[in-house]
Amino acid sequence: KAGVTQTPRYLIKTRGQQVTLSCSPISGHRSVSWYQQTPGQGLQFLFEYFSETQRNKGNFPGRFSGRQFSNSRSEMNVSTLELGDSALYLCASSPDGQYNEQFFGPGTRLTVL
Amino acid sequence: ELKVEQNPLFLSMQEGKNYTIYCNYSTTSDRLYWYRQDPGKSLESLFVLLSNGAVKQEGRLMASLDTKARLSTLHITAAVHDLSATYFCAVDLGNTPLVFGKGTRLSVIA
C-alpha cells in the first residue's frame, strides 16, 4: 500500500500571503489529522477530519482551516501568514478501527519570510 | 486534560550501553504508541501497545505498558549510532486526538 503523501514538500511564502497544503491518506483510511511541529512548541494537533466532517479541532486561530473531500484527501489552508507559522506541517491518516494509530506523511516544510 | 510527560528530554549515551525512556500520562488509557523521528523527517510508527502488560520488541528496542501506573517505557539495549533520533510516545483516549509527549532526543556516541 502506498503511504500518506503530502504536497508540496517545501514552501516559501511571505507574511500576509495564504497557503494551501494537500494530503492524500493511505487507501482505505477515512480519518485524516493535521499537526504543526516547531522546535519551540513541539507537535501540536490542528484538526481531524473523518468522512468530510471536522471531528476534532486543536487550539489554533481561525486562520487555520481545513477540509476533506469524498475520496478522503484533505487540504489545510492558512491565511494571512505570520512568521510564527513557519513549521513542519504533518498529515496523518488512520483507519479509524478499534484504535487510533496514526500513519504520518513526509510533511510540508513551510517557511514564512 | 490529559498530560503526557517523557523523560529524559535529551539523552546522550555511549554505544553498547542500555537505557530506558519513560512516558508518564495522567489519564487512564490502555492504548499507547511509540514513534521515531529522524532529523527533518516525519514520524515513523515503532510500537502499538493496546493492553496492560503489553510488551513489544523490535531489534534493540523494547516497549512496555503498565496502565495501572500510567507508564510506558522504551528500553534500548546495546545502543548503536543508527538509533540516534527523537522518540515520541502518544496516548490514545479513544475519540479524541492523540496526545504526544515532547519527545526524547537520543544521541548515541562512540
Side-chain angles (χ1 to χ4, degrees):
Chain A
K1 260 186 184 176
V4 178
T5 59
Q6 291 185 246
T7 56
R9 294 292 311 280
Y10 302 92
L11 208 47
I12 299 175
K13 293 284 188 179
T14 55
R15 280 182 298 176
Q17 288 187 306
Q18 75 165 24
V19 67
T20 299
L21 312 181
S22 181
C23 171
S24 292
I26 292 171
S27 178
H29 287 193
R30 294 190 296 168
S31 168
V32 174
S33 297
W34 288 89
Y35 298 84
Q36 181 196 66
Q37 187 176 34
T38 59
Q41 298 299 317
L43 198 61
Q44 293 186 283
F45 171 77
L46 279 156
F47 26 65
E48 180 205 4
Y49 286 88
F50 177 79
S51 292
E52 302 180 65
T53 301
Q54 188 180 85
R55 187 157 69 172
N56 288 293
K57 187 177 189 309
N59 189 23
F60 277 81
R63 300 185 297 108
F64 291 82
S65 63
R67 59 178 175 168
Q68 187 180 33
F69 302 95
S70 58
N71 62 357
S72 294
R73 190 176 71 84
S74 177
E75 289 181 347
M76 68 163 280
N77 184 277
V78 188
S79 63
T80 320
L81 284 166
E82 301 177 358
L83 294 179
D85 297 334
S86 295
L88 179 66
Y89 289 87
L90 293 164
C91 165
S93 74
S94 169
D96 202 54
Q98 291 183 324
Y99 55 93
N100 195 19
E101 185 186 8
Q102 304 272 291
F103 296 84
F104 285 83
T108 295
R109 173 76 60 185
L110 172 64
T111 302
V112 182
L113 303 176
Chain B
E1 181 191 346
L2 171 61
K3 293 192 187 310
V4 180
E5 290 187 0
Q6 282 184 241
N7 68 84
L9 296 182
F10 299 93
L11 176 56
S12 180
M13 58 188 297
Q14 283 188 309
E15 281 188 332
K17 298 291 189 184
N18 304 332
Y19 208 86
T20 300
I21 298 171
Y22 297 89
C23 175
N24 292 272
Y25 53 98
S26 60
T27 303
T28 301
S29 173
D30 59 2
R31 291 179 288 193
L32 187 141
Y33 316 107
W34 283 96
Y35 291 88
R36 167 183 171 144
Q37 185 177 36
D38 292 298
K41 307 283 188 178
S42 187
L43 276 72
E44 172 193 354
S45 181
L46 287 175
F47 298 111
V48 175
L49 303 170
L50 299 177
S51 61
N52 185 40
V55 177
K56 295 277 184 74
Q57 181 161 7
E58 180 74 32
R60 301 174 187 274
L61 299 177
M62 183 172 72
S64 65
L65 179 62
D66 181 344
T67 59
K68 291 185 173 59
R70 300 177 188 168
L71 170 69
S72 180
T73 60
L74 181 65
H75 187 72
I76 302 154
T77 302
V80 293
H81 180 72
D82 285 353
L83 290 180
S84 297
T86 299
Y87 294 86
F88 292 90
C89 63
V91 178
D92 182 358
L93 291 183
N95 286 329
T96 56
L98 296 187
V99 179
F100 285 80
K102 290 189 181 300
T104 296
R105 187 180 298 179
L106 171 65
S107 176
V108 181
I109 55 178

